[in-house]
Amino acid sequence: MSSWGNAVKISLFGESHGEAIGVVIDGLPAGESIDREQIRLQMGRRAPGKDRTSTPRTEKDIPEILSGMLGDRTTGAPLCAVIRNTNTRSQDYGNLMSHPRPGHADYTGFIRYHGFNDIRGGGHFSGRLTAPLVFAGAVCRQILERKGIKIAAHISSVGSMEDARFDSVSIPAKLMDRLSTVSFGLIDQGREEAMRTLIEECRMEQDSIGGTIECAITGMPAGAGSPMFGGIENVISSIMFGIPAIKGIEFGSGFAGAGYRGSQNNDAFYYDGDTVKTRTNHHGGILGGISSGMPILFRVAVKPTPSISRQQETVDLQEHTDTVLTVQGRHDPCIVVRAVPVVEAAAALAVINLLAEVSE
Amino acid sequence: MSSWGNAVKISLFGESHGEAIGVVIDGLPAGESIDREQIRLQMGRRAPGKDRTSTPRTEKDIPEILSGMLGDRTTGAPLCAVIRNTNTRSQDYGNLMSHPRPGHADYTGFIRYHGFNDIRGGGHFSGRLTAPLVFAGAVCRQILERKGIKIAAHISSVGSMEDARFDSVSIPAKLMDRLSTVSFGLIDQGREEAMRTLIEECRMEQDSIGGTIECAITGMPAGAGSPMFGGIENVISSIMFGIPAIKGIEFGSGFAGAGYRGSQNNDAFYYDGDTVKTRTNHHGGILGGISSGMPILFRVAVKPTPSISRQQETVDLQEHTDTVLTVQGRHDPCIVVRAVPVVEAAAALAVINLLAEVSE
Amino acid sequence: MSSWGNAVKISLFGESHGEAIGVVIDGLPAGESIDREQIRLQMGRRAPGKDRTSTPRTEKDIPEILSGMLGDRTTGAPLCAVIRNTNTRSQDYGNLMSHPRPGHADYTGFIRYHGFNDIRGGGHFSGRLTAPLVFAGAVCRQILERKGIKIAAHISSVGSMEDARFDSVSIPAKLMDRLSTVSFGLIDQGREEAMRTLIEECRMEQDSIGGTIECAITGMPAGAGSPMFGGIENVISSIMFGIPAIKGIEFGSGFAGAGYRGSQNNDAFYYDGDTVKTRTNHHGGILGGISSGMPILFRVAVKPTPSISRQQETVDLQEHTDTVLTVQGRHDPCIVVRAVPVVEAAAALAVINLLAEVSE
Amino acid sequence: MSSWGNAVKISLFGESHGEAIGVVIDGLPAGESIDREQIRLQMGRRAPGKDRTSTPRTEKDIPEILSGMLGDRTTGAPLCAVIRNTNTRSQDYGNLMSHPRPGHADYTGFIRYHGFNDIRGGGHFSGRLTAPLVFAGAVCRQILERKGIKIAAHISSVGSMEDARFDSVSIPAKLMDRLSTVSFGLIDQGREEAMRTLIEECRMEQDSIGGTIECAITGMPAGAGSPMFGGIENVISSIMFGIPAIKGIEFGSGFAGAGYRGSQNNDAFYYDGDTVKTRTNHHGGILGGISSGMPILFRVAVKPTPSISRQQETVDLQEHTDTVLTVQGRHDPCIVVRAVPVVEAAAALAVINLLAEVSE
């Protein structure tokens, strides 16, 4: 299903080479002022074509808002935004799936939809569907920002090359603001050139590379989330795996913490004035599924772009034989960079739903 | 919320020191034969008191089935099972939360429920609530087994000490059967003694230790799961984080794969007779959220038991001062061991829901 | 499915002649004081055996609360209550469905569950399952009462014999309080004897009789409910049809209003001090799915008890032949009387969910 | 919320005078052939401007399908359809709600959305939102028709003037086909002129009139639906009250049946060849929430159009005073006529969801 959420629901639609992609957001509070420039900024961070060139993004992906807003304010009715596809090729109706691309959903989609799915450009499985997700997140994060909640992510690694990590107990607002607006988000900006070089090398080798994204949520009040299946980890992971290429998630000390002793991993409580804080934040701001008031921290694993220009083994689903395939076209050698704002957007949707439950 | 699922819903209830814990399972198919001995076996694997002693488990945690079965078959009506608590102490009604235990949900639960939650033994946040989850899984896995689907997990690491890993492209049924019935599940049984020694050392040091659990699902037909938020990763992670102490999850090559090149991480397709398979299984049996027919593989990170006997820093929520705390009682130095059957049970619930959607 | 609700979910379980029936209520606010005497009172109103005899109800149906409460307050964790069945007959395991009773779910349940459902006493379809529903409602209405919201229903008709109707624009709190506590609820108490005589006549004739129940909700703040599918009518009807024997529902002027002119059915607005009110209440307190602040009024149609002692035509599902059947035992000749508190309970669950959404 | 459904979900969006209205349908089976002419036909039945004039409908409301179809087949991905509004007036941004129209959602929407809702033409509460609902139903009913399931409704009454009723045990396919394609649906076509005259009289008197719609579903297999809250009545009513102006619903003998004796209302079973049928159909094809295989029959009450040209009492929400209002413009004097295809469409969505659950 391409729908997600409870208090604030999103319903994503569209296929890579269909007429349009878009989203309906149902359950937004009424009267919220939404700055369209902020939306454009977020969508620009995700848009393709910035990588080596630093040219301004092509302006094609401007969403049209069809409903749910009057002037610059939400009406409380469902907000629908549509982004037209410009690369529609109606002559491709043949839809002959023969050679599924390794690492893509071509084969599984073929089975799931009995061969009727739109395979052009990945169809509904395309990373392009993250554009309306970024749109929805850009709307929600403006509402959250007014509640003092900030969301920012950065490229925590590309291959084995790592960025610095967030200071888990104290993250400057200035850093949050910078990361949530830039296109190549690093805490240690000094590593950008080396990372770009590594990515460029992969491209030259007709290869791609994976990485990780670390995301922080600051300003989250203590007491949000519910035990068991309504926990913050459950809610965040249930939307985060909707982003193509994400294959892992960890909160706080996560997998590293699984190697720790309890005496090392437990976070001591103390009073900072009237506020209960923890001296360390291995719990990633979440205990028993509920926010502690410390920064919420999680990290996702992004697999290397499966589209590579090298010849690969695959099958011919029509002929039932083994064969080879060379994927054509120009592809992002490292999807991690553009996935950063998508992770933030998905986090914004998770947070706005978690907060709605608290007020109940 | 303590409810989860769509086609087959579970609703868990109970508090560690309340009258009882239990589960309602709504949406089970009618006419399924359920072997109570299998349920007892699974619950025995999770039960405490086996660790050093290898004495048979105490027989207290036998669930009483109140509804949904007639003789040994499901009726299609909701199945409710109740497990009585034997350590109820009604004099404890005072419910004074003063010193939240580091690493526990004491503090966050206090905020979430305005101090009205039952804190005795962790209340509804207690790991004891995984007992009815294992019950529900034990019912579902019998239904899945008849469809040729097996689920088995093992202790893939304790601290930095690792077990062997599943052969990701071919897992023997015999191994699946062994792992899904034993209490200290390792692929390489030769490592059991060293691991037990490590855990025992932690106990002697009044400390605890974390670890990881790897889980495999075999026999899953290709084509289960839906794109975006209905994907297998979304569904599995949304239930898995309902298990206390789980702080991370990765599918297939996961975080390691984030360090790979695309040429390395992509899995080549080939025909094995009439069946499409992949030569490697970095995708963990899931592409675009949908099963490929290869074994589904995931790994979870389990944090070290937060209850340790050492003195720890905490706060006094009544006095609003910093203080220290020494957690009393006997605790599992490594919760990973008993969490193995819980992970399998949660996976069974995820799978039965994923399959229901396919038949739609 | 036997689960219902969003913010406050109920999961009902049990079969008429199984071990027990009960309910899990998930999502209750923490710290709410619950008076068990009030629960007993509500369950007593629904209990059988009061009709002609006015003897005190048999005390068998006392629910045991297994979780979710500490002393007399809710903890915020799921509240499970179990009511033991005392007429369990384990020798009946044969479960031979041969002669489905006309008007009952015997035949449809047989098809739905492929013959595996528990047919003894109607199984999960039994009116007995309304006991845990009344329990859940009795918990919720105490919370609502503290917010100034009252819910009361009465027997608005038995056959063609009618009670007076609520004054739709102004319902005295005293009337609400009386109706919500008595066992044979009528606005015009002078009609009780005639109604009881009519019911008794049906019994003597080995027949049964249907009727209607009118329910009022007062104190509902304006602005609750959502447009389209989240409307008050949608929410109330989606739970109300979970009560066996209910075959119709109308809000405000309902079916009568369908015969009116607009000039007659529209309700004029006016200010009563600072409060907007309507001079008439044909809208039943709901416009566009959202509460107007006027009393919410609806009426349900209850079919005559299908269990009658006369010989009826049916089929033999084993022999595939037509046959006749005489239903044995003592049955309520008019289920309407005992359904009154069930309707109130279901309304309470609807209201507590509608209010949760408002606070979002 | 403007979302509805489980296996097949719809998410409606749009405001009467906004940019566009539309729907996302998520969960449709892949590979279903959809005839756009059938969609146009259904939307034409709901379109305004046919009443006295019998001119062909204006062609403005043609939905654009943005996703989910490739050629004439569904892809399995969400299907989004958008209908542009042509009467957008951007200068109306003032959004001054002062005089709520009696019988409309103006006042309740104002409270619910704190004055931020789009009130132009009723905004999201407008009957215009039923256009995308008819679209969604037109897609689903083509799928159902291929399974042998037909859905048809007719104007069962306007004011006190009644049409004939369906023969509840046997409804000719020919009648179903006729009713589901015409614009002024009557079983007894001889009553059309009198009914049209009555409606015209209301218009001349600057008034409006209500009515009822009876709907039949034939070909529904026995065994669809679930007990309690998953029953057919629950599912149908939960979507049906999403249609503005519907204030009541009854299944089978409904409110009339509430006046019957059990001996009169029970439906005798018999074998018609190998098929179990009932000699009468007071149960409306539903017993215990589950289909019996007999035609499903229900009737809804439609209130008179609240927009009438007469002067009415209302309040001034800015000045906090009582005042009067005369609603301008041309309005349907009887919304019943155009609501017929909307009821059928909503029924189609209910049925496709009920069937999905059965196959589970």
Side-chain angles (χ1 to χ4, degrees), chain D residues 102-120:
Chain D
H104 277 282
D106 294 351
Y107 172 66
T108 55
F110 177 83
I111 298 296
R112 173 71 169 85
Y113 296 114
H114 316 295
F116 290 104
N117 56 315
D118 182 353
I119 60 159
R120 301 169 301 158

Side-chain angles (χ1 to χ4, degrees), chain B residues 101-300:
Chain B
R101 293 168 298 169
H104 277 282
D106 295 351
Y107 172 66
T108 55
F110 177 83
I111 299 296
R112 173 72 169 85
Y113 296 114
H114 317 296
F116 290 104
N117 56 315
D118 183 352
I119 60 160
R120 301 170 300 158
H124 189 58
F125 294 94
S126 167
R128 184 161 166 70
L129 267 292
T130 57
L133 186 57
V134 168
F135 173 91
V139 169
C140 293
R141 63 199 300 172
Q142 295 187 35
I143 299 169
L144 296 174
E145 185 91 23
R146 282 193 282 272
K147 295 174 192 283
I149 298 171
K150 289 179 187 293
I151 300 169
H154 68 107
I155 305 163
S156 50
S157 67
V158 170
S160 57
M161 192 176 290
E162 301 206 333
D163 186 18
R165 295 286 283 269
F166 282 114
D167 174 349
S168 66
V169 294
S170 170
I171 308 177
K174 207 171 149 184
L175 175 61
M176 296 295 288
D177 289 342
R178 175 171 69 81
L179 289 176
S180 60
T181 50
V182 297
S183 285
F184 198 98
L186 289 172
I187 292 179
D188 180 354
Q189 293 171 279
R191 305 188 201 183
E192 178 169 342
E193 197 176 319
M195 243 182 220
R196 284 190 183 274
T197 302
L198 171 59
I199 295 170
E200 188 56 22
E201 279 169 14
C202 293
R203 184 203 303 277
M204 301 307 278
E205 294 168 18
Q206 299 186 310
D207 210 340
S208 65
I209 193 161
T212 60
I213 294 168
E214 187 188 32
C215 183
I217 304 165
T218 60
M220 188 79 166
S226 288
M228 311 211 84
F229 313 113
I232 296 178
E233 293 106 332
N234 309 62
V235 173
I236 288 182
S237 66
S238 76
I239 188 168
M240 217 50 76
F241 283 113
I243 304 173
I246 289 192
K247 296 295 278 188
I249 190 165
E250 60 178 3
F251 296 85
S253 60
F255 280 93
Y260 294 169
R261 299 290 173 104
S263 56
Q264 194 179 0
N265 196 60
N266 281 356
D267 302 304
F269 290 110
Y270 74 101
Y271 271 103
D272 180 11
D274 279 347
T275 308
V276 173
K277 291 192 175 171
T278 58
R279 296 206 187 273
T280 48
N281 187 10
H282 298 113
H283 69 291
I286 311 164
L287 287 168
I290 300 173
S291 58
S292 68
M294 295 298 290
I296 291 174
L297 284 162
F298 65 91
R299 213 166 62 107
V300 296

Side-chain angles (χ1 to χ4, degrees), chain C residues 1-4 10 12 100-105 107-108 111-113 124-125 129 159 198 202 205 207-212 222-223 225-230 233-234 237-239 241-242 247-251 254-255 257-263 265-271 276 279 283 286-288 290-292 299-304 306 308 310 312-317 320-322 357, chain D residues 1-4 10 12 100-105 107-108 111-113 124-125 129 159 198 202 205 207-212 222-223 225-230 233-234 237-239 241-242 247-251 254-255 257-263 265-271 276 279 283 286-288 290-292 299-304 306 308 310 312-317 320-322 357:
Chain C
M1 286 281 186
S2 303
S3 316
W4 186 91
I10 53 168
L12 291 164
R101 293 168 296 168
H104 278 281
Y107 172 66
T108 55
I111 299 296
R112 173 71 168 85
Y113 296 114
H124 188 58
F125 293 95
L129 267 291
L198 171 60
C202 293
E205 294 168 17
D207 211 341
S208 65
I209 193 160
T212 60
S226 288
M228 311 210 84
F229 313 112
E233 293 106 332
N234 309 61
S237 66
S238 76
I239 189 169
F241 283 113
K247 295 296 278 187
I249 190 165
E250 59 178 5
F251 296 85
F255 280 93
Y260 295 170
R261 300 287 173 105
S263 56
N265 196 59
N266 281 356
D267 301 305
F269 289 111
Y270 74 100
Y271 270 103
V276 173
R279 297 205 186 274
H283 69 292
I286 311 164
L287 287 167
I290 299 173
S291 58
S292 67
R299 212 164 64 106
V300 295
V302 183
K303 73 177 183 184
I308 53 175
R310 298 183 183 188
Q312 297 179 82
E313 287 179 67
T314 187
V315 288
D316 186 316
L317 290 167
H320 284 242
T321 54
D322 294 349
E357 203 182 332
Chain D
M1 287 283 185
S2 304
S3 317
W4 185 91
I10 53 168
L12 291 165
R101 294 167 297 167
H104 277 282
Y107 172 66
T108 55
I111 298 296
R112 173 71 169 85
Y113 296 114
H124 189 58
F125 293 94
L129 267 292
L198 171 60
C202 292
E205 294 168 17
D207 210 341
S208 64
I209 193 161
T212 60
S226 289
M228 312 210 83
F229 313 113
E233 292 107 332
N234 309 61
S237 65
S238 76
I239 189 168
F241 283 113
K247 296 295 276 188
I249 190 166
E250 59 179 5
F251 296 85
F255 280 93
Y260 294 170
R261 300 288 173 105
S263 55
N265 196 60
N266 281 356
D267 301 306
F269 289 111
Y270 74 101
Y271 270 103
V276 172
R279 296 205 187 275
H283 69 292
I286 311 164
L287 286 168
I290 300 172
S291 58
S292 67
R299 212 166 63 107
V300 295
V302 183
K303 73 177 184 185
I308 54 176
R310 298 184 184 187
Q312 298 179 81
E313 288 178 68
T314 186
V315 289
D316 186 317
L317 290 167
H320 284 241
T321 54
D322 294 348
E357 203 182 334

Side-chain angles (χ1 to χ4, degrees), chain D residues 167-190:
Chain D
D167 175 349
S168 64
V169 295
S170 170
I171 309 177
K174 207 172 150 183
L175 175 62
M176 295 296 287
D177 290 341
R178 176 172 69 79
L179 289 176
S180 59
T181 50
V182 297
S183 284
F184 198 98
L186 289 173
I187 293 179
D188 180 355
Q189 294 170 279

Side-chain angles (χ1 to χ4, degrees), chain B residues 9-80:
Chain B
K9 288 185 218 278
I10 53 168
S11 186
L12 290 166
F13 59 87
E15 282 136 324
S16 183
H17 288 56
E19 288 300 318
I21 57 175
V23 63
V24 178
I25 318 171
D26 192 4
L28 285 174
E32 293 285 347
S33 169
I34 303 299
D35 179 352
R36 286 164 204 241
E37 192 47 49
Q38 288 296 319
I39 295 174
R40 245 175 251 129
L41 168 69
Q42 292 303 330
M43 297 195 69
R45 293 173 70 204
R46 195 214 67 93
K50 304 177 307 296
D51 221 6
R52 295 176 53 204
T53 59
S54 76
T55 54
R57 68 186 173 83
T58 54
E59 288 290 32
K60 288 169 195 161
D61 273 3
I62 296 185
E64 184 190 12
I65 296 175
L66 297 182
S67 64
M69 290 194 63
L70 199 58
D72 64 349
R73 284 189 187 270
T74 57
T75 63
L79 193 165
C80 178

